[in-house]
Amino acid sequence: MTKKNLTVISEFLLLGLPIQPEHQNLFYALFLAMYLTTVLGNLLIIVLIHLDSHLHIPMYLFLSNLSFSDLCFSSVTMPKLLQNMQSQVPSIPYASCLAQMYFYLFFGVLESFLLVVMAHDRYVAVCFPLHYTTIMSYEVCLSLLALSWVLTTAHAMLHTLLMARLSFCADNVIPHFFCDTSTLLKLACSDTWVNRLVIFFMGGLILVIPFILIIMSYARIVSTILKVPSAGGIQKAFSTCGSHLSVVSLFYGTIMGHLCSSTNHNTVKETVMTVMYTVVTPMLNPFIYSLRNRDMKRALGRVFSKKKISFSLKW
């Protein structure tokens, strides 16, 4: 029998979250509220950065890309999850499943690269403040962003093309709320050795190298601060890096939890950590940057002040 004859699956069934039927409506309302909060929060940051000229600097250029990535990352899985929670047959077509997997990998990895770029930006700002505008020029910032987007596209496309070559012939039930790469590999009835090798190799590079680069950036920042120890310098460095460091801790903390739960083959814990990674983290990032960042608070105040003045002049 040829591979073509083996590929008979046209859609997959998503089992979704392990929620009791009597609690379904409650969790639907909760996830809907979380998704709307994620969309509105990240959109607010993007709009603020666009409207306020004081935020037209490298740090907030990267932040706007991070917010866009968070918004899209959550939108890859949440709308389908909400739809399936209200559906009697929570299915997803084969092509849509591959598309969901592609964009999930794309925006998940893009966030990791953007956090590296932002760490480098903070390193330059603290360690080379007098040369910051020269080092982090507009052209350099765009090059770093372009590199992040290109590498992310190549990575997601590689995994998607490798998945597309596999055959699925019998079991089409995915015990998850989205098309996860590892879950799809378990359903394949053709050889997945190449896929698993690429996941192991590329996964290590995508996770380990960005994390090491971030650690190196903050090690240099701490070293610079300790050379001239002062309460003002430490406070300034913390205010400069605090929000980014919080996001990094949240991002990699949830990833580590997800990896540990998948290694232990605990389906419930793995699902919970995936929800944390795909739903909670993108929702919290705008709060971290808005609550801990004075520039964002001031920008919000300036934008609202302009709106009030404009409104009063019209009347």
Side-chain angles (χ1 to χ4, degrees):
M1 186 177 290
T2 63
K3 181 187 291 187
K4 185 175 180 181
N5 291 333
L6 284 172
T7 309
V8 296
I9 294 232
S10 61
E11 65 177 16
F12 294 96
L13 297 179
L14 297 168
L15 289 186
L17 300 173
I19 300 173
Q20 297 297 327
E22 60 269 20
H23 300 147
Q24 194 82 358
N25 291 333
L26 175 62
F27 277 93
Y28 178 84
L30 175 63
F31 284 123
L32 178 60
M34 293 173 70
Y35 177 61
L36 292 176
T37 302
T38 300
V39 172
L40 294 176
N42 284 290
L43 276 178
L44 178 61
I45 287 182
I46 295 172
V47 170
L48 278 178
I49 293 173
H50 176 73
L51 292 179
D52 195 312
S53 59
H54 295 84
L55 301 182
H56 293 174
I57 58 176
M59 174 182 174
Y60 294 106
L61 173 64
F62 300 142
L63 177 58
S64 63
N65 276 261
L66 181 67
S67 294
F68 178 75
S69 176
D70 280 333
L71 192 159
C72 294
F73 186 51
S74 185
S75 297
V76 170
T77 56
M78 285 302 293
K80 187 60 180 176
L81 171 62
L82 293 169
Q83 178 189 349
N84 287 346
M85 290 179 75
Q86 299 295 309
S87 173
Q88 297 298 323
V89 184
S91 62
I92 182 170
Y94 174 79
S96 299
C97 189
L98 288 184
Q100 188 183 54
M101 189 193 81
Y102 170 82
F103 286 111
Y104 178 82
L105 291 171
F106 181 90
F107 289 111
V109 174
L110 179 61
E111 180 159 354
S112 177
F113 284 177
L114 290 174
L115 290 176
V116 174
V117 172
M118 294 173 77
H120 176 70
D121 175 71
R122 294 301 84 204
Y123 157 68
V124 175
V126 174
C127 300
F128 305 99
L130 299 179
H131 303 284
Y132 176 78
T133 54
T134 303
I135 298 174
M136 298 301 295
S137 64
Y138 184 72
E139 291 76 16
V140 170
C141 293
L142 289 183
S143 299
L144 290 173
L145 287 175
L147 180 62
S148 299
W149 282 78
V150 169
L151 291 177
T152 302
T153 302
H155 174 263
M157 185 61 70
L158 173 63
H159 287 292
T160 305
L161 292 177
L162 287 175
M163 186 65 70
R165 74 183 182 88
L166 299 180
S167 301
F168 300 88
C169 44
D171 189 6
N172 70 333
V173 179
I174 299 177
H176 220 313
F177 64 91
F178 72 101
C179 292
D180 181 50
T181 307
S182 59
T183 307
L184 285 174
L185 288 179
K186 295 176 183 177
L187 300 180
C189 54
S190 53
D191 186 18
T192 61
W193 182 81
V194 175
N195 296 67
R196 296 184 186 279
L197 180 64
V198 171
I199 288 174
F200 178 79
F201 180 72
M202 293 298 294
L205 292 178
I206 292 300
L207 287 176
V208 176
I209 292 181
F211 185 69
I212 291 175
L213 291 175
I214 292 173
I215 293 296
M216 289 174 60
S217 296
Y218 275 101
R220 294 294 301 273
I221 290 173
V222 172
S223 175
T224 301
I225 294 172
L226 292 179
K227 287 179 181 178
V228 188
S230 66
I234 294 175
Q235 184 178 0
K236 183 178 180 181
F238 182 76
S239 63
T240 302
C241 306
S243 298
H244 177 259
L245 195 56
S246 300
V247 171
V248 168
S249 301
L250 183 63
F251 179 78
Y252 282 100
T254 52
I255 287 181
M256 295 302 176
H258 177 265
L259 292 177
C260 291
S261 59
S262 60
T263 303
N264 296 331
H265 303 289
N266 190 320
T267 306
V268 176
K269 285 186 178 180
E270 183 179 357
T271 303
V272 171
M273 292 310 303
T274 305
V275 170
M276 287 289 297
Y277 175 54
T278 59
V279 180
V280 178
T281 299
M283 180 187 69
L284 291 180
N285 285 353
F287 289 99
I288 293 173
Y289 270 99
S290 60
L291 294 176
R292 299 178 61 91
N293 193 300
R294 293 180 181 177
D295 291 338
M296 293 299 297
K297 293 178 183 177
R298 291 169 181 169
L300 187 62
R302 284 191 292 266
V303 169
F304 274 107
S305 297
K306 290 179 181 179
K307 295 296 182 183
K308 287 181 180 178
I309 293 173
S310 176
F311 181 78
S312 61
L313 289 176
K314 289 180 181 179
W315 285 91

